[in-house]
Amino acid sequence: MVTQALPIADRPGKDGGRAADGEHTWAEARRLAFDCARPLGPERIPLREANGRTLAADLVALQEMPHYASSAMDGWTVNGAGPWVLTEPGKPLGSGQASPVVTGGVIPPGSQAVLRVESGQLAGKAGGQPVLMVAEGAPPGEPRSGQHIRKSGEEAAAGEVLIPAGTALNPAHIALAAIAGFDQLEVRGKPLVKMLVTGSEVVTASLPAPGEVRDAFGPQISTVIQMLGGVPGSLIRIGDSYEEWLTALGALEAPMGQWSDVIVTTGGTGRSGADHFRTATAALGGRLLIDGIAMRPGHPAALAKLPNGRFVVGLPGNPLAALMALFTIGAPLLAALGHQPLADICRLPCGTVIDSHAASTRLMPFKWINGLATPVRYTGPGMMRGLASADGVMAVPSRGVQLGEPVPVFALPWRPELHNTPAWP
């Protein structure tokens, strides 16, 4: 896919700052949401939760690995040339002695090699003890000195770095940490995100009746938050009253075993008497950092910071508008908290003429068709059909764009291919 970097002079938000009505521009809101947060400190988590997390400090071997000499085969440990008189397992061996051993078993002192079970046979007794001999079919020269013995420390010495800091952990890393004796790992912090889904008209099952809508957030918002680098926490559903808002926000901010770093709310960000995001966050001592964005859809989005340092991301109630707001301010916020850079924005040639729109950036899902970013259909604020088929989202400036003109675009978290395209300089 051919892309073109966005020149500095053309960056949105560099020449006017705020839109005419006082709302933040799209680019300004995105940058502010990233700049307002600092990376979270490291945390210790169980091994089972570590996949995909980033190691915060070097993982160092606590002791030699392996920490004892062991057998690589089922068979017998032996000292000297055969035949050998069998002794009790685990006892030190003298010359001409052998003892049974299983794979992974401790090699007793005096052992010079392991004779695997396929290469040995018991033949008679000497002084009442069984005698071990090399079987006729054994390979010539068995057992050679050191054969089938795993020496202690052959994988790592005590104090050796096993996994360097900054590594994105995979299952093999986790297995290595377990073998090394670790129960927990110190990883870079990731933001814990709790969610508040509002709306008395929202139903969670079956076909909605007139005046009702199906819950579009509950089934997917935790997954999207995880894709954006957050750790999804609890989700609360409420109606539309101020009392419900205040109670729910207070409950989500209570420790309940673990503080959240971010609360994401849906609905209630408008300016009517039925919208309570601003009044409820203000009642908790919150301060608005973003109060509306000059973009469509999603312009009522808001971002607040509470006195304890937690953030509240207010998304509009319409599904598409909410996701556009989440990508605009939620994604940069989670990136900053989670030690990640602000995601790249690139430019792709537009597949159609898009007219101007009074002072608002339009976020338009598009498909990549014949080398052009072409807007999809069905992209009303409450529609999800267009986004479901899209390859990315274009940020169309208020002046519009011409056919073939490069337009800023960003990747969808479930279609990350655009992350590999050039960023703004």
Side-chain angles (χ1 to χ4, degrees):
M1 162 182 314
V2 178
T3 62
Q4 179 181 343
L6 192 64
I8 293 176
D10 290 343
R11 294 180 191 173
K14 289 292 183 182
D15 54 354
R18 296 289 181 88
D21 59 2
E23 292 181 331
H24 291 278
T25 65
W26 175 75
E28 183 186 28
R30 188 171 177 269
R31 171 54 67 175
L32 194 159
F34 182 80
D35 289 343
C36 74
R38 295 293 176 264
L40 297 172
E43 58 179 321
R44 299 191 69 83
I45 60 173
L47 293 183
R48 66 179 181 275
E49 299 175 9
N51 186 56
R53 299 295 296 268
T54 301
L55 197 64
D58 290 346
L59 190 77
V60 176
L62 303 174
Q63 58 184 358
E64 288 185 333
M65 293 174 60
H67 59 286
Y68 65 94
S70 64
S71 176
M73 294 285 179
D74 293 339
W76 300 268
T77 61
V78 299
N79 183 324
W84 304 272
V85 176
L86 288 188
T87 66
E88 293 182 28
K91 296 285 187 180
L93 299 182
S95 181
Q97 291 183 324
S99 64
V101 71
V102 296
T103 302
V106 176
I107 298 295
S111 300
Q112 296 176 339
V114 170
L115 180 67
R116 58 179 181 165
V117 68
E118 297 90 345
S119 297
Q121 63 180 20
L122 298 176
K125 293 188 176 182
Q129 293 293 102
V131 174
L132 173 68
M133 300 180 65
V134 177
E136 290 184 6
E142 279 205 18
R144 295 182 299 276
S145 178
Q147 189 173 21
H148 304 316
I149 292 179
R150 297 169 177 160
K151 297 178 181 179
S152 62
E154 67 180 10
E155 186 172 6
E160 186 176 345
V161 174
L162 300 175
I163 310 172
T167 299
L169 297 168
N170 61 36
H173 294 129
I174 295 167
L176 175 60
I179 292 169
F182 290 89
D183 300 316
Q184 295 182 318
L185 295 176
E186 186 175 6
V187 297
R188 291 178 183 172
K190 289 183 73 172
L192 175 64
V193 183
K194 297 183 179 181
M195 294 149 282
L196 177 60
V197 177
T198 73
S200 56
E201 77 282 9
V202 176
V203 296
T204 59
S206 302
L207 289 172
E212 297 178 337
V213 295
R214 271 297 297 267
D215 174 21
F217 298 112
Q220 53 86 12
I221 193 166
S222 293
T223 301
V224 176
I225 285 171
Q226 189 171 35
M227 288 178 169
L228 294 176
V231 178
S234 57
L235 185 149
I236 294 178
R237 302 174 191 277
I238 63 169
D240 296 306
S241 71
Y242 173 73
E243 291 75 17
E244 289 175 289
W245 265 87
L246 198 59
T247 300
L249 281 177
L252 287 170
E253 267 304 284
M256 296 175 61
Q258 192 174 13
W259 286 104
S260 63
D261 301 294
V262 179
I263 297 173
V264 172
T265 69
T266 66
T269 58
R271 299 185 182 277
S272 75
D275 295 309
H276 306 297
F277 175 89
R278 293 168 182 81
T279 51
T281 53
L284 294 175
R287 176 172 60 93
L288 281 173
L289 305 178
I290 295 175
D291 188 9
I293 306 171
M295 70 180 196
R296 298 293 189 276
H299 74 95
L303 175 63
K305 189 173 185 180
L306 299 177
N308 58 14
R310 274 67 183 180
F311 295 91
V312 187
V313 177
L315 307 180
N318 283 311
L320 183 63
L323 284 178
M324 295 300 103
L326 183 61
F327 298 152
T328 298
I329 57 175
L333 176 66
L334 297 181
L337 292 169
H339 302 256
Q340 299 300 313
L342 185 63
D344 290 342
I345 299 294
C346 65
R347 298 187 81 176
L348 298 176
C350 187
T352 188
V353 174
I354 302 176
D355 294 333
S356 62
H357 186 279
S360 287
T361 297
R362 278 168 292 171
L363 300 183
M364 304 178 71
F366 72 86
K367 287 188 70 66
W368 185 246
I369 301 174
N370 297 326
L372 297 172
T374 302
V376 297
R377 300 172 60 195
Y378 310 112
T379 56
M383 298 179 179
M384 291 302 297
R385 185 175 173 182
L387 189 64
S389 65
D391 294 319
V393 178
M394 60 174 65
V396 180
S398 60
R399 60 176 175 77
V401 292
Q402 299 301 308
L403 176 64
E405 180 184 350
V407 62
V409 302
F410 63 87
L412 295 167
W414 52 88
R415 295 296 303 271
E417 297 88 348
L418 288 177
H419 285 308
N420 297 322
T421 57
W424 282 344

